[in-house]
Amino acid sequence: MIQKMATEELDRFGEKIIEGFQLSDDDLRALLSLESEEELEKLYYVARKVRNYYFGNRVFLNCFIYFSTYCKNQCSFCYYNCKNEINRYRLTREEIKDMCKALKGAGFHMIDLTMGEDPYYYDEPDRFVELVQIVKDELGLPIMISPGVMDNTTLLKAREKGANFFALYQETYDHELFKKLRVGQSFEGRFNARRFAKEQGYCVEDGILTGVGNDVESTIKSLRGMKANGPDMVRVMTFLPQEGTPLEDFKENSNLSELKIIAILRLMFPKCLVPASLDLEGIDGMVYRLNAGANIVTSILPPDSRLEGVANYDRGLEERDRDIKSVIKRLESMGMEPAPQADFEKVLGL
């Protein structure tokens, strides 16, 4: 196991992953239990080695358009849950079309259309399908949809109109923790929605939270649960307490860090997309996540945008520093660069 490895053995460990070595549960326990800076740097080194074998120094860039912050759900961890008394917005068709015009030629590989489970769209699902069509017509780029648990008919229609990727996060595969996080929601419903999307030709993204009551064993359960999905993109995000939510005052001194799990995701899913989100620590945090094995930058906002992200460390700041030009500049300083669009479409099987 990795904590018993000498530094000179690390290259061989990376090679074993590339050759098809699968981590056992004991391997996962050992990796999740690493604590010293030296051990963690070894882990990140191996994760980068595996990533670079498949993707080189090239990174993908995902534009995040949170077009509606209305939601019918009561997720205890989410700022946008229906019980939270906050200012909300819902972009109009014209606003989305104007935004697309501003994004033309910006350098994004994919557009992520995200919303809460907004009754406006759930009552009339064709309204959502129409937005997919607008974005496809305006930009012609691959589209990720993150609409929550949409019905199968709507998923099929969105696929026909040009949606390529379906993102739906389980957050945890620990059933008891799921009940506490996604209050009143169906565990199987989310799993089945991803499975249906995959069967219809979508690429799918799954994701988990850490630092929210998960321990080593529940984290292993979640990693194995994601593996069973056959996902194309796997995400982990640190829980950030949100004002006005049931978990607003939740605090946990966890050693199950996001960076550690990103590196483990790279070893478990060597050919998959693993996000470096800007939501928690901005571009500085992106650097850490890429150095842990991530290969797609997410939650990049449109230029001059006041749109929301999923968890906004920078809410209310005048300078948000989450635009694509700032991201590319930092990538170049790291010796990395945006991948050609053809590389991304090859990942999607287009």
Side-chain angles (χ1 to χ4, degrees), residues 166-218:
F166 178 59
L168 187 70
Y169 305 144
Q170 201 74 13
E171 311 301 357
T172 179
Y173 280 77
D174 179 326
H175 284 259
E176 290 305 311
L177 185 55
F178 181 91
K179 291 177 185 177
K180 295 176 183 177
L181 297 177
R182 291 198 169 275
V183 179
Q185 297 176 52
S186 168
F187 183 97
E188 291 75 16
R190 298 184 79 80
F191 186 92
N192 291 337
R194 278 190 307 277
R195 182 171 60 185
F196 176 81
K198 186 79 172 178
E199 291 170 349
Q200 304 310 313
Y202 278 96
C203 293
V204 298
E205 181 187 12
D206 197 358
I208 59 175
L209 281 173
T210 191
V212 71
N214 55 304
D215 59 18
V216 167
E217 294 306 314
S218 68

Side-chain angles (χ1 to χ4, degrees), residues 3-200:
Q3 79 269 30
K4 295 181 180 179
M5 285 185 177
T7 302
E8 59 270 15
E9 293 180 281
L10 285 171
D11 283 340
R12 179 59 190 148
F13 186 79
E15 290 166 8
K16 285 175 65 178
I17 295 290
I18 292 165
E19 291 167 1
F21 177 77
Q22 299 290 315
L23 297 173
S24 69
D25 283 0
D26 283 342
D27 291 327
L28 292 175
R29 287 186 188 94
L31 294 170
L32 289 167
S33 299
L34 296 180
E35 292 187 4
S36 76
E37 184 176 346
E38 181 183 4
E39 290 172 333
L40 291 172
E41 287 303 323
K42 289 179 183 178
L43 174 62
Y44 304 151
Y45 170 85
V46 174
R48 290 196 301 272
K49 180 180 177 68
V50 172
R51 180 200 62 202
N52 292 347
Y53 177 83
Y54 291 104
F55 300 99
N57 70 336
R58 292 174 169 178
V59 178
F60 306 113
L61 306 175
N62 194 21
C63 180
F64 188 75
I65 300 179
Y66 208 147
F67 64 90
S68 175
T69 58
Y70 288 89
C71 188
K72 64 183 181 181
N73 290 330
Q74 301 181 47
C75 299
S76 61
F77 62 91
C78 184
Y79 182 69
Y80 308 105
N81 81 71
C82 66
K83 299 295 186 181
N84 205 6
E85 297 181 1
I86 57 174
N87 293 323
R88 301 177 188 265
Y89 65 81
R90 181 187 297 122
L91 297 183
T92 66
R93 293 171 52 210
E94 290 70 26
E95 287 173 325
I96 291 175
K97 189 176 290 189
D98 288 344
M99 191 170 292
C100 287
K101 286 179 168 56
L103 292 174
K104 287 182 179 178
F108 290 107
H109 294 96
M110 182 164 66
I111 306 298
D112 179 356
L113 289 175
T114 292
M115 68 174 188
E117 292 194 5
D118 184 349
Y120 176 82
Y121 290 104
Y122 272 66
D123 292 345
E124 297 286 344
D126 284 347
R127 291 169 173 166
F128 172 71
V129 175
E130 184 181 8
L131 296 186
V132 174
Q133 179 76 71
I134 288 171
V135 174
K136 198 69 172 185
D137 289 346
E138 290 292 331
L139 293 172
L141 291 172
I143 296 174
M144 171 182 276
I145 57 170
S146 308
V149 186
M150 274 282 188
D151 64 275
N152 291 349
T153 299
T154 303
L155 288 179
L156 283 172
K157 288 181 179 180
R159 181 83 180 100
E160 291 167 0
K161 295 300 182 183
N164 308 93
F165 229 112
F166 178 59
L168 187 70
Y169 305 144
Q170 201 74 13
E171 311 301 357
T172 179
Y173 280 77
D174 179 326
H175 284 259
E176 290 305 311
L177 185 55
F178 181 91
K179 291 177 185 177
K180 295 176 183 177
L181 297 177
R182 291 198 169 275
V183 179
Q185 297 176 52
S186 168
F187 183 97
E188 291 75 16
R190 298 184 79 80
F191 186 92
N192 291 337
R194 278 190 307 277
R195 182 171 60 185
F196 176 81
K198 186 79 172 178
E199 291 170 349
Q200 304 310 313

